[in-house]
């Protein structure tokens, strides 16, 4: 199996995003190695050595996705026995010509602390303090309030919205106790323009709940079916937008919610 | 000000990563617009219209960073009045030649649900259940345990480790009560090979705490200084690796911790 390296003088998150997007186009498996913070000639040399070792071991040239600012470090790494992909390099000339401005590469600019960084930390604090319905007093500050049955993906989606986009995302569970006379609570009604629902396929919900509380009523197919039916009805009656999380990752859920709820992200 | 568009038939996270990395090379400001899930000809047409409007409004051609699978949709979008950057397009031919395999683009492959997706949701659950020292019973399952004074960035870093890498990251606060006779508790000693410390510049800590509890002893410069001095001493005495979070984003902290603690990520 061929090895893919993601290398940078910073976090290597950009190299990873670039490399993963490229490799996802090919129906093959790769070994993955990330080498972040390659910010000295000595580290660059060790890095080139690792690449050469992988080339020898795999008997196939590794694919190396890299973004470097320092040209000496880049030169050392690209001397290794591999196929090197440098996407910044390729596009930067074109962009300089178009913008009429010289590029000024700086290390760690992409994932460093921006002026809007505190937004994200505040959003994480907010999301934790308003997770799972523990408090509704700060809903006036919420950018969005996710609702749904237990284990439909509310919490991870809220955390991703906070970390990635700086969105203050509260979430409120609709529980079994609510089922007999299901309606929006006063707190939710007051903020109904911020509500966004999650739902999930019943079989998937049963599977997830079974892993947490085996053989419980909570995990029974009947109970899951009952909750999902009633909750989806509520969404429709109250015209609350909602998404099905069964086949969606947190990234997809978060991006869809940003788009459909027309949320302004606090981070770029 | 020129507008930058990030467009895709999926989440557009890859287009954003690509575009942000490029634009971060230039000392200029841009307006940013993300248009995810452009997955029909009708949406593509509306998207092209929005780009044309921005071109007219800004009196400068927008920069468009896009990744599309469907060539008809791509054609519609790239007819708009803008400069288009398609990084997949440029590299895919080279990679096909090198791998000897035809690319098979599929929508939502990069940020969809992978087989290792449940790892990340489990890691988020774990991290929340083991946040802020609320429980130490599951430390045998931890991949890493962050320790440090209050407000040094433990929780957001743990959540990022869980969401991005599928790492089970617990965290344990070292509080004022511990200061008189500071040593590792029994639970921490038992798992000392998993410990990783965070510290922060005293002035920055004071500033953050002041925003939370103004004029408190907790936020006083003396108290912050005392805690940081004692805790850094502990790290050195016990040979616990540690990082200063003052000028580091959660992305940087998480990537450094992954690297220094040699953690195996559960997601690619």
């Amino acid at each position: 199996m061929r090895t893919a390296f993601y290398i940078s003088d910073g976090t290597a998150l950009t190299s990873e995003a670039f490399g993963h997007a490229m490799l996802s186009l090919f129906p093959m498996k790769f070994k993955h190695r990330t080498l972040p913070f390659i910010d000295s000639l000595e580290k660059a040399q060790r890095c080139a050595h690792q690449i050469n070792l992988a080339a020898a071991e795999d008997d196939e040239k590794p694919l190396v996705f890299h973004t470097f600012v320092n040209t000496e470090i880049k030169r050392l790494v690209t001397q290794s026995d591999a196929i090197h992909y440098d996407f910044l390099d390729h596009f930067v000339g074109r962009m300089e010509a178009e913008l009429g401005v010289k590029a000024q590469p700086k290390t760690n600019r992409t994932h460093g602390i921006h002026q809007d960084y505190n937004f994200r930390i505040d959003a994480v604090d907010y999301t934790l303090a308003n997770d799972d319905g523990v408090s509704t007093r700060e809903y006036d500050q919420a950018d969005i309030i996710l609702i749904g049955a237990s284990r439909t993906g509310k919490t991870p989606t809220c955390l991703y919205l906070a970390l990635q986009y700086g969105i203050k995302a509260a979430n409120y569970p609709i529980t079994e106790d609510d089922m007999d006379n299901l309606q929006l609570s006063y707190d939710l009604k007051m903020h109904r323009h911020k509500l966004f629902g999650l739902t999930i396929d019943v079989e998937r919900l049963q599977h997830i709940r079974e892993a947490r509380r085996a053989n419980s009523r909570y995990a029974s197919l009947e109970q899951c079916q009952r909750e999902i039916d009633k909750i989806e009805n509520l969404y429709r009656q109250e015209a609350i937008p909602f998404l099905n999380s069964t086949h969606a990752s947190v990234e997809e859920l978060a991006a869809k919610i940003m788009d459909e709820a027309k949320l302004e992200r606090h981070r770029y």
Side-chain angles (χ1 to χ4, degrees), chain A:
Chain A
M1 202 188 295
R2 205 188 282 262
T3 306
F5 284 92
Y6 312 98
I7 310 179
S8 164
D9 41 13
T11 60
L13 284 168
T14 303
S15 300
E16 287 186 335
F18 170 52
H20 294 176
M22 291 301 305
L23 296 183
S24 72
L25 300 175
F26 292 91
M28 303 166 71
K29 291 207 162 191
F30 299 88
K31 284 180 284 182
H32 303 273
R33 295 289 304 278
T34 301
L35 305 177
F37 306 110
I38 304 300
D39 50 10
S40 71
L41 295 178
E42 196 204 325
K43 285 189 194 168
Q45 229 138 18
R46 254 184 287 149
C47 174
H49 183 63
Q50 279 183 270
I51 295 169
N52 289 336
L53 280 180
E57 227 173 71
D58 301 346
D59 213 14
E60 284 186 301
K61 284 189 189 216
L63 307 179
V64 176
F65 302 93
H66 62 78
T67 57
F68 282 110
V69 166
N70 183 301
T71 50
E72 266 305 285
I73 293 177
K74 189 203 295 203
R75 200 182 52 79
L76 275 177
V77 171
T78 52
Q79 279 174 355
S80 60
D81 184 25
I83 307 149
H84 294 272
Y85 299 94
D86 182 338
F87 78 99
L88 291 184
D89 229 27
H90 174 72
F91 287 99
V92 77
R94 246 186 86 191
M95 201 174 278
E96 282 178 334
E98 176 55 37
L99 296 175
V101 175
K102 270 306 254 185
Q104 295 179 9
K106 284 184 190 161
T107 307
N108 294 343
R109 199 136 150 190
T110 317
H111 291 99
I113 291 195
H114 300 236
Q115 61 190 35
D116 49 7
Y117 182 69
N118 288 338
F119 259 121
R120 294 166 60 204
I121 301 305
D122 288 348
V124 170
D125 285 343
Y126 178 88
T127 293
L128 290 175
N130 293 277
D131 183 40
D132 207 30
V134 289
S135 166
T136 58
R137 277 171 303 151
E138 299 180 318
Y139 279 6
D140 51 329
Q141 293 167 49
D143 293 312
I144 192 125
I145 302 165
L146 296 194
I147 59 176
S150 166
R151 307 309 293 179
T152 47
K154 299 183 298 299
T155 297
T157 306
C158 282
L159 289 169
Y160 192 84
L161 284 166
L163 273 168
Q164 177 74 11
Y165 299 116
I167 291 292
K168 290 187 174 173
N171 75 81
Y172 191 94
I174 303 177
T175 62
E176 206 197 313
D177 306 339
D178 307 323
M179 288 303 139
D180 282 332
N181 180 24
L182 190 56
Q183 51 183 335
L184 291 179
S185 68
Y186 177 77
D187 290 320
L188 294 182
K189 263 192 197 139
M190 287 285 291
H191 300 279
R192 57 172 306 143
H193 59 291
K194 295 181 181 178
L195 300 183
F196 203 105
L198 288 183
T199 190
I200 191 169
D201 291 357
V202 172
E203 291 71 23
R204 173 84 182 137
L205 181 61
Q206 199 236 336
H207 182 80
I208 297 171
R209 288 185 172 185
E210 190 67 29
R212 282 176 73 89
R213 278 193 236 157
N215 304 316
S216 64
R217 195 166 102 87
Y218 168 78
S220 70
L221 197 60
E222 296 69 33
Q223 179 63 25
C224 293
Q225 184 77 60
R226 184 171 127 91
E227 290 185 27
I228 292 301
D229 284 349
K230 292 215 173 203
I231 291 170
E232 288 190 5
N233 267 339
L234 178 74
Y235 294 159
R236 288 192 195 95
Q237 270 168 27
E238 301 279 345
I240 296 165
F242 68 100
L243 287 174
N244 187 314
S245 68
T246 312
H247 301 291
S249 65
V250 282
E251 284 84 352
E252 289 171 323
L253 290 171
K256 278 231 163 88
I257 290 167
M258 291 295 295
D259 191 39
E260 295 193 10
K262 304 207 184 335
L263 292 175
E264 282 292 321
R265 63 192 69 195
H266 294 294
R267 183 212 176 195
Y268 269 103

